[in-house]
Amino acid sequence: KNLDELKAGLALNPMDCKVRFDYACALLGAGQNEEGLDALFDIIEKDQNWNENAARKQILKVFEALGSTDPLTQAGRRRLSSILFS
């Protein structure tokens, strides 16, 4: 599915973590890292353990790909910690 189809599906059912995960992965694949990470964080905020922590695992893969000095990684690690430990 393309980004527009996934976005439309998400608009119809914003609580659907599977659609949100697919949308996040499509955003990441399109180089829209910040938007993709935001969608993954949304999943974790709704259900930390969804699909055996798939969103958290995907976020960590993105951090690894970006590198530890990337501003998105640094901000994302803080955001992830605040979600998981609040």
Side-chain angles (χ1 to χ4, degrees):
K1 291 184 177 182
N2 68 33
L3 278 172
D4 290 335
E5 290 172 331
L6 290 165
K7 191 173 186 175
L10 197 55
L12 290 172
N13 191 355
M15 297 306 289
D16 188 332
C17 288
K18 172 74 172 105
V19 173
R20 188 173 299 276
F21 185 81
D22 291 345
Y23 179 60
C25 290
L27 285 167
L28 293 168
Q32 298 179 42
N33 294 331
E34 190 168 358
E35 296 86 351
L37 285 169
D38 283 343
L40 292 169
F41 284 124
D42 288 344
I43 294 169
I44 294 174
E45 287 172 342
K46 287 178 181 39
D47 181 358
Q48 284 187 21
N49 301 314
W50 174 80
N51 197 21
E52 300 180 359
N53 299 302
R56 185 181 56 80
K57 290 174 185 174
Q58 188 65 35
I59 287 170
L60 295 177
K61 286 180 190 174
V62 173
F63 290 168
E64 187 176 324
L66 293 173
S68 62
T69 59
D70 188 284
L72 268 181
T73 299
Q74 294 173 345
R77 286 190 188 281
R78 286 190 297 274
R79 183 171 176 190
L80 184 61
S81 291
S82 73
I83 293 169
L84 295 177
F85 302 112
S86 63

